[in-house]
Amino acid sequence: MNNKTLPLSTKVIVIGGGVIGCSVAYHLTKFGWTDVVLLERDQLTSGTTWHAAGLVSQLGPSASVTKIRKYTLDLYKNLEKEIDHSAGLRLNGALSIAQTDSRWQELKRQATTAQLYDVDLRILNKEEIKKKYPIMSTEDLKGGILMPGDGSADPSGVTHMLAKGARKGGAKIYEQSPVETILTKNGRVHGVRVNGQDIECEYVVLATGMWSRQIGEKIGVSIPLYPAEHFYVITEPIEKLSPTLPVIRDFDSSVYFKEDAGKLLIGIFEGKSIPAFNKTYKVPEDFSFGEFPENFEHFEPYLEKSMKRFPVLEKTGIRKFFSGPESFTPDTNSLLGEVPEVKNLFVSCGLNSIGIGSGGGVGKVTAEWLMNGHINEDIFNYDIKRFQKFHSDLDFIKDRITESLGDLYGMHWPYKQHKTSRNIKTLPHHDLLKSFGACFGVSAGYERPMWFALDGEKTEYQYSYNYQNWYPAVEYETTNTLKNIGLFDLTPFSKFEIKSDQAHENLQKICTANIKNEVGRCTYTHMLNEDGGIETDLTVICIDHNHFRIISSAATRERDKFHIKKHLSHGIDLKDVTDDYCVFGIFGPKSRSFMQEISKEDFTNDNFKFGYAKYIKIDNTKIWAQRLSYVGELGYELYIKITEAKKIYELIIEKGKKFNLSNCGMHALDTMRMESGFLHWGHDISPEENQFQSGLTFTISNKKEIDFIGKEALQVIKNKKIDRRFIMLTLKDNKPGSPLLLHDEPIFFKDKIIGRTTSGNYSFNFKKNLAFGYISNYYSTEELLENDIFIEVEKQMHQAQLIEKPLKQTNFKNI
């Protein structure tokens, strides 16, 4: 539709006419919102969609991504028939191949996870691959996994199909309608200006691909993505090239292959990419169907690898060399959801070269999120609020995308750390931690110790899907914490404060627990959405009269802040004090004696009970101390002004020598929280779970009269039998890293999948492989205890046993 008579107002404006924008518009109308306008600055598909390779794959690196991709393919199949428009689907299958043992392990893990989602998948050895696809060289392969239902789609066909479906549902689509600016009023979306005309609206969805960062920057919104130069070539026709050849992903060569009308399309995901538009680092407004000059020198090493895989290419010419822009995010996951800076402004962008394969599901999720105000799925890895402001700084993002493009085909190692754009936030005592052998990882931008190398060991990861090179360090750190004292740096914890005479009333409204309005009291609680899904996992502390501090995990800083602010009464300010304090966790049986050594306060149980907090003095420095512990031991969290932290850290280290105090990292913390049966938001709990499923009903207060958010939904849930429940398992095989338990591994009861794992670790204190997970509530505890349970890892079954109580149980009130 090129009708220039734009409406004066509408409910939702979708900006961007690529596959994502058209999908969002289609799903909004499908779910009942017909007052939708889509604005495209040029023509539909211009920007990135038009030059996409169009690969579609059902299996993703996580459960939520797999759901999105699987839905996408199903949608394309059904919509083709429903509105009589071809998506150009060619489902010849997709074959992922492995050259190394590690890659083969990774693919077998994917094959294992696929069973959770009914993805048809077959494992092939190299002889079977050669027999099925004789054109390929297979001598160097370990094997491959074939997904017969995968393949490719026509990007233009898909986009116009979705657009047709959106129009049929009532959406109006306008091409040649560039949005000059997004209009806001009182921190909320008010409309957009197009060719000098204002259109009022309630919601805006930015589906503007590689322009999104620039558009956001104009109105103070951080959108962390940037385009890299992305390459593929199309060969001359190849005689006897099978038209049913599957898409071949040769991850270890950073190359993929797709049959294209008798020719071969060869694309790359190289380890070090080239940021696009690197003279100005600005995406030109008119770069609609543009291409970059050929860069054969950059592509040549991958062409050589391609010739080894397909020897026929040695005698085949190249018909087309393509280089164009494709935007990537810091972690190669998409950017979805409402932005924290402007109300009712949603993003749906940052597809990292998988826009066609994810477009349907991403549009669905965006529409549901916008219409409901929340999403009842574990989709934090796609939520834009996983990032902070600095992530969209040009210096950060242009360097990071040189690495993140290659991450798509690189090894997806467990515990992998990025190499680019590091040391953005360092602790005041960073150099001291380094001198003690800290191996750093990034947590919410902070360089945070993951583990401390023992004497003579290197302070770097040696990545593996088996035994971890940091296991000896974690064994020492966890056992020493159990015997003596462990010092954990908890500085990246998210910290927010509310000071208001309405603070307590508001916290009661948004928290499920009964918040104690008593100075020094700490309350562990959740915040829910209206459907009872767990939105946050945090602790609320009464610092003073009408003054509360909220502590949550490092990774969820922006998300939790957004959720709390959204539900506070008008005029109440939530202050982010995360970067104002360092936090030290001092945990272990000798921690009370140690605290008595460094402070004159009375730390006896009668005077400093578990779940209480107060100001103390250490070396004449005023410090807030909380008697809490995430590792299941006697312990204290010390909140110290950032300017005083280095001095206090040095004192703790010095005075700690006689107590055998050891520095400890995040791997030790994660291991010990699992030993204690503590759940982690983002792994074990999310909006996909409720407190009845996760066994956390003790955080629900039935005493307080106020109707907290989600209370009504909980009443309904309580009166029904829950469909699945949280469990803890250990393996009969108790060797560390054999197997390496992570998450999303199927749990079998006899020969049937009954659930999946959510967390895994090896406990050196109890010599056990430990897993958390959820299973169907159809089976009783007695049945599970009497019969065999298995966890499948890399297509191998490992016998497990249910444990009804955590490995470590501590009565905090009596120690």
Side-chain angles (χ1 to χ4, degrees), residues 503-532:
H504 181 251
E505 181 187 342
N506 269 254
L507 287 168
Q508 290 285 64
K509 180 186 76 175
I510 59 179
C511 296
T512 61
N514 188 29
I515 304 303
K516 315 299 187 298
N517 193 12
E518 175 191 337
V519 175
R521 289 299 304 271
C522 308
T523 311
Y524 172 62
T525 186
H526 296 125
M527 296 178 183
L528 311 180
N529 59 42
E530 288 82 357
D531 298 319

Side-chain angles (χ1 to χ4, degrees), residues 133-151:
Y133 313 110
I135 194 172
M136 284 176 61
S137 172
T138 62
E139 290 85 356
D140 60 340
L141 298 185
K142 302 294 178 181
I145 58 173
L146 176 68
M147 286 155 283
D150 289 4

